[in-house]
Amino acid sequence: MPRRERRAQLLAAALEVFVAQGYHSAAMDDIAERAGVSKPVLYQHFPGKLELYLAILDAACDAIIANCRKALESTHDNKQRVKAAIAAFYAYVGHDTGAFRLVFESDLTNEPAVRGHVDRVTTECADMIAAVIAEDTDLPAGASQLLGLSLVGMAQVSARYWLTESETAAAQLKRDDAIALVAGLAWRGIRGYPKVEEQADA
């Protein structure tokens, strides 16, 4: 098997094991067995469990950030942008790989490299949203950044709650209904900040 394909196979197997068992309980033996390779083959591609975990985490973080960017670029209607950004988090959390657990529910957040990856998702998504807010409202950078962070937090926390709290009334909502509900809350807040052209007309 070509090296790139083998690496992808190993990452897929490792993702399944890490999601099911968590970092601390997962063993390289388990990952090699899941991938159908010997442990020496696994070590040819990744020198250790942490390096393997970080490689998966990097791909997971890239996917969330790319989804957020795509959502913001999908329309120039800010109401729809808010909904699309929130939907991007719900879609990622709801993906059947369960990769979101490595980003938002990692049992290794005390490891600086892992913490850096996780923080990158929040920071980069918030930066993109803050840029839209600043451009549209002319709010100062600090205020725009705080609003961006708030929207990211609202999206990812509510999405995780909706998915994992299966016994609650909130989690029994259909995904589209949950997205519409949270997007409505976010938009009612963010639309209260006047657009630049409205300020100019005042």
Side-chain angles (χ1 to χ4, degrees), residues 112-150:
V114 173
R115 184 75 257 161
H117 279 68
V118 174
D119 288 346
R120 181 168 70 87
V121 170
T122 302
T123 301
E124 292 196 23
C125 289
D127 285 349
M128 287 186 279
I129 294 171
V132 173
I133 293 171
E135 181 180 357
D136 195 51
T137 66
D138 210 21
L139 282 171
S144 298
Q145 184 70 19
L146 184 58
L147 290 173
L149 284 166
S150 298

Side-chain angles (χ1 to χ4, degrees), residues 6-181:
R6 177 67 76 190
R7 179 182 171 87
Q9 176 198 24
L10 297 174
L11 288 172
L15 174 60
E16 293 178 11
V17 173
F18 283 132
V19 167
Q21 300 181 21
Y23 177 82
H24 293 294
S25 297
M28 294 293 269
D29 286 325
D30 298 330
I31 295 167
E33 182 179 349
R34 181 68 62 91
V37 301
S38 65
K39 196 157 69 167
V41 169
L42 181 57
Y43 278 111
Q44 285 175 8
H45 292 263
F46 301 98
K49 186 166 73 166
L50 178 59
E51 290 78 10
L52 178 53
Y53 188 84
L54 289 173
I56 296 170
L57 190 58
D58 198 40
C61 292
D62 285 345
I64 300 172
I65 293 166
N67 289 348
C68 186
R69 180 178 294 106
K70 183 178 178 181
L72 293 174
E73 292 175 350
S74 66
T75 178
H76 293 292
D77 181 319
N78 284 337
K79 182 178 181 180
Q80 293 306 313
R81 273 178 168 158
V82 168
K83 185 175 182 179
I86 290 171
F89 279 89
Y90 273 75
Y92 190 80
V93 166
H95 197 280
D96 58 10
T97 64
F100 81 95
R101 297 187 185 281
L102 274 63
V103 181
F104 299 126
E105 300 174 4
S106 174
D107 59 349
L108 197 63
T109 51
N110 60 330
E111 167 62 43
V114 173
R115 184 75 257 161
H117 279 68
V118 174
D119 288 346
R120 181 168 70 87
V121 170
T122 302
T123 301
E124 292 196 23
C125 289
D127 285 349
M128 287 186 279
I129 294 171
V132 173
I133 293 171
E135 181 180 357
D136 195 51
T137 66
D138 210 21
L139 282 171
S144 298
Q145 184 70 19
L146 184 58
L147 290 173
L149 284 166
S150 298
L151 286 172
V152 169
M154 182 186 295
Q156 66 101 341
V157 171
S158 67
R160 287 164 51 208
Y161 181 83
W162 168 79
L163 180 71
T164 60
E165 299 296 321
S166 59
E167 299 304 316
T168 68
Q172 292 169 19
L173 289 169
K174 292 181 180 178
R175 185 166 76 181
D176 286 348
D177 293 336
I179 291 168
L181 193 67

